[in-house]
Amino acid sequence: SAVISQKPSRDICQRGTSLTIQCQVDSQVTMMFWYRQQPGQSLTLIATANQGSEATYESGFVIDKFPISRPNLTFSTLTVSNMSPEDSSIYLCSVEEISPRTQGEVYTFGSGTRLTVV
Amino acid sequence: RKEVEQDPGPFNVPEGATVAFNCTYSNSASQSFFWYRQDCRKEPKLLMSVYSSGNEDGRFTAQLNRASQYISLLIRDSKLSDSATYLCVVNIVGGTYKYIFGTGTRLKVLA
């Protein structure tokens, strides 16, 4: 499966600042996603990162707050802008691959970024 | 009704026990189902896909019941290393095609 390098792994940030999270994949992938996992909660899809065009955001998430870049098929960034303590969460990037064993789609995740906003 | 629902647990079981989790989904048109495992402070990792006919991978068996709209995961001969949170994942058809994660079922296997 694809190997995803996500960084930073964790950060503590002041409210009002912004943090950019990077995900680098070791192979070209079409579908790349950004998720948020708040404490004790499951994963919530923020947006689909589209190569060469604007990201597709889910309900409740907007580009001004979570701008996303996808300059090529192996790299994407998510920025958490104008942070508040409510943004404290784990942010994960994910790619969709086709399993060679089953020929079905599977999701592989980066190791996550643990963000604390103070 | 939530799109995907799981019992959060925790399920505390002794080593060697058999344990089963269920996950219900609300969209009858869903086609793809998965179980992911998430260890504490780690990212989710695919455990197994769930097929219509049911499938087995070693000590793990996954079943799909379309009529009642649930999937299940059975773990036999539990090991200490099975302690983790198990996430049910279902695709949602209609509008945007996407996957919905359950909140997870926490399993603790006790020595």
Side-chain angles (χ1 to χ4, degrees), chain B residues 11-84:
Chain B
F11 283 57
N12 296 323
V13 302
E15 262 188 298
T18 296
V19 61
F21 315 132
N22 280 348
C23 166
T24 59
Y25 59 95
S26 61
N27 189 325
S28 59
S30 295
Q31 294 294 324
S32 302
F33 309 90
F34 307 89
W35 284 103
Y36 274 72
R37 170 190 170 132
Q38 187 171 27
D39 292 287
C40 188
R41 295 178 176 265
K42 300 284 188 182
E43 73 275 20
K45 291 186 178 176
L46 178 66
L47 179 65
M48 59 198 305
S49 305
V50 186
Y51 303 123
S52 298
S53 54
N55 48 301
E56 190 174 305
D57 186 357
R59 297 181 293 109
F60 299 85
T61 301
Q63 296 277 354
L64 167 64
N65 185 317
R66 286 195 185 276
S68 301
Q69 291 182 209
Y70 73 86
I71 65 172
S72 64
L73 177 67
L74 180 80
I75 305 176
R76 289 181 299 277
D77 187 23
S78 300
K79 311 290 184 192
L80 294 176
S81 57
D82 293 333
S83 298

